[in-house]
Amino acid sequence: MGFFTNSTPRSRVRKEPVLSMESRISGRYSDGWGAVSAGLGATQTAHGPVPAWLSESLSAVTACLEITTASIASFPASIVADSEDGRQAAQNTLPAVKLISRPNVRQSWPSFCMQVVADLQMQGNSVSWIKKDARGAVVSLTPIPWTWLSPQVVGVGTHSRLVFDVVTSTPETQLLSLPPRLLDTEVLHIKARSDNGLIGRSVLARAAGVVRESLEMSKVAEKTWRNGMRPSGYLSSPSYLTDEQRKLAKASLLDYSGALNAGKVPLLEGGWSFKQASLNSADAEFLASRQFGVAEICRLFRVPEPLIQLGDRLPADLSPYLAAFAQLTLAPIVSAIEAEFDQAVLPAGYHLLIDMGGLLRGNYSAVAAANCAQVQSGIMTANEARNAVGLSSHADGDALRTGSAPNWPADAPGMPSLAPKPGHTGDGLPAPGTHQNEGASA
């Protein structure tokens, strides 16, 4: 009897899900620089943020931005996988491998990198929409300009999360088919140094006063050359001129103005004289201040000044500056891109590898010396070195060098070359007409 009682199906009441209203915990990050709103504990700053497009009107800002974005975009990128023998190249069947060739239908990898790094440098944040297929595999990465987005911290019930609302509606946003809202798990978000761990802030936002000062000086220079009078000299007349004499003087000056008439000697009559004008101390101080503004902006971007301001002060050897640029400027950005890409795009066990050795492109002697040292030390084979410089493989080039590495000194200015040195080493005298030991008499 109890069996039938327990086996009889009981009626169950279906519980409908309870939908909670979304609440916005924080206000919009409306300044476009990643500065937090008042709801997240923002503090008053001495200078308001400067728009990125206005900052790029300064040649120093544009030069720092171009050299950084172009350098990182030129680095070779690859996907590697963890294995028992270390990291190996990932299989070509991995969907993410195609991303480093063509992140989306409209951009190549270098173009994608340039936009990502530019947003990171100028805005402090870079956001790319991760689009997946029905299997959940990533098929495209579409970078979204930071000015199109409004980051929000929203709460649903007892849970909170960061979302990005697309607040711009233009033909461009429609062409990219952007959704109205992107969750933090649907984007590749790369941040500059952050104050709260959610949104990054660029160096231009933190030091807006330096940028604003350089902008004001640029305006002064533009107005000076547009409206001011800065002649190389002036003509002095002995007395006031009549209207007819003024017309004759202006007509005569046309024969000596312009680049084609430079060097002509004017004929002065009636007591006229020419006096040369010199640069006064105020103008000289203004030019020095503009040069100091360039150094300040280079300091913000951590770009060595000689790399963007070439001229009379060009150093004889740029190698120390390039090394500092690679270690202090490029390496932190590359590390941030690799870490966020691994977390948001790649499955576990796979990693993005951006080879900073691409910085040696164009310096063939440095590439050859580095490959030679690695081959002789047994780090790489001769064929790997040949392929690295675009040469075909050799039949005997697949074996690694064994034994101790040669102790020849490396190539460097003022040092011996990386090769054995011919010359007399025995007790006998070398043969006449040769520097070799062969043929020497005992």
Side-chain angles (χ1 to χ4, degrees):
M1 187 67 178
F3 172 78
F4 291 102
T5 302
N6 295 335
S7 300
T8 304
R10 299 178 181 178
S11 60
R12 297 180 179 178
V13 179
R14 182 176 183 272
K15 295 183 178 180
E16 296 292 340
V18 179
L19 301 180
S20 302
M21 294 295 296
E22 174 188 296
S23 61
R24 297 195 175 188
I25 301 176
S26 69
R28 176 185 173 185
Y29 296 69
S30 58
D31 60 6
W33 290 82
V36 295
S37 63
L40 291 180
T43 58
Q44 297 293 330
T45 57
H47 302 278
V50 183
W53 62 267
L54 186 57
S55 300
E56 286 194 73
S57 64
L58 295 173
S59 61
V61 174
T62 301
C64 291
L65 188 63
E66 290 295 327
I67 191 175
T68 304
T69 57
S71 297
I72 295 179
S74 66
F75 294 159
S78 59
I79 304 295
V80 296
D82 294 332
S83 66
E84 296 180 356
D85 299 328
R87 291 185 174 181
Q88 305 290 339
Q91 307 89 343
N92 293 333
T93 55
L94 184 70
V97 173
K98 299 179 180 179
L99 296 178
I100 60 175
S101 175
R102 202 79 184 173
N104 55 72
V105 296
R106 295 177 179 85
Q107 286 182 309
S108 62
W109 177 258
S111 176
F112 172 82
C113 278
M114 292 183 72
Q115 182 174 349
V116 166
V117 176
D119 262 1
L120 184 62
Q121 290 281 88
M122 300 299 292
Q123 310 285 6
N125 299 270
S126 172
V127 175
S128 300
W129 175 32
I130 302 175
K131 191 174 182 180
K132 301 181 179 181
D133 58 13
R135 302 173 301 167
V138 179
V139 295
S140 69
L141 287 173
T142 304
I144 306 174
W146 182 249
T147 54
W148 293 5
L149 300 174
S150 171
Q152 305 284 345
V153 178
V154 299
V156 179
T158 59
H159 301 282
S160 303
R161 71 183 311 167
L162 178 66
V163 299
F164 300 90
D165 290 340
V166 180
V167 296
T168 302
S169 179
T170 61
E172 290 81 3
T173 59
Q174 298 174 5
L175 183 62
L176 296 177
S177 301
L178 298 178
R181 168 170 289 185
L182 294 168
L183 304 179
D184 54 358
T185 56
E186 297 175 335
V187 296
L188 169 62
H189 183 197
I190 306 172
K191 300 181 289 293
R193 184 167 70 88
S194 176
D195 294 333
N196 50 33
L198 300 177
I199 301 297
R201 293 186 63 193
S202 71
V203 293
L204 296 182
R206 298 182 183 277
V210 174
V211 182
R212 194 176 299 278
E213 180 182 356
S214 297
L215 285 171
E216 293 299 328
M217 295 177 63
S218 178
K219 293 179 182 179
V220 172
E222 181 182 359
K223 292 181 179 179
T224 298
W225 294 109
R226 179 185 299 178
N227 304 324
M229 182 179 179
R230 289 294 184 272
S232 59
Y234 59 91
L235 293 174
S236 176
S237 65
S239 60
Y240 289 100
L241 303 180
T242 64
D243 293 341
E244 186 64 24
Q245 288 175 330
R246 289 179 183 277
K247 292 180 181 179
L248 292 175
K250 291 181 179 179
S252 178
L253 288 176
L254 293 177
D255 295 335
Y256 304 99
S257 62
L260 297 178
N261 297 321
K264 285 186 176 181
V265 180
L267 177 62
L268 303 179
E269 301 178 284
W272 285 66
S273 62
F274 175 80
K275 297 183 180 180
Q276 187 174 2
S278 60
L279 192 67
N280 56 40
S281 59
D283 292 335
E285 182 66 23
F286 175 73
L287 294 178
S289 299
R290 293 203 70 188
Q291 292 178 353
F292 179 74
V294 173
E296 287 279 84
I297 292 175
C298 289
R299 188 178 297 115
L300 290 181
F301 283 96
R302 293 175 298 182
V303 174
E305 188 178 354
L307 297 183
I308 69 166
Q309 188 161 287
L310 304 179
D312 297 337
R313 297 182 296 172
L314 178 65
D317 186 12
L318 285 176
S319 300
Y321 300 98
L322 290 174
F325 177 60
Q327 297 171 4
L328 303 179
T329 306
L330 303 182
I333 300 176
V334 168
S335 299
I337 295 175
E338 290 177 337
E340 296 298 339
F341 195 95
D342 294 353
Q343 175 66 26
V345 179
L346 298 179
Y350 291 87
H351 309 276
L352 172 67
L353 178 62
I354 299 178
D355 184 10
M356 292 186 60
L359 194 63
L360 295 178
R361 286 183 175 182
N363 191 348
Y364 189 81
S365 60
V367 174
N371 288 341
C372 182
Q374 292 188 81
V375 171
Q376 293 173 345
S377 301
I379 298 176
M380 63 190 306
T381 65
N383 280 340
E384 290 173 337
R386 292 173 62 89
N387 295 334
V389 294
L391 299 177
S392 59
S393 300
H394 191 272
D396 300 328
D398 290 329
L400 284 173
R401 181 187 178 95
T402 57
S404 60
N407 59 357
W408 303 330
D411 282 331
M415 296 181 62
S417 61
L418 187 63
K421 311 303 184 294
H424 176 63
T425 57
D427 296 333
L429 297 176
T434 179
H435 294 291
Q436 306 300 323
N437 290 327
E438 183 180 357
S441 60

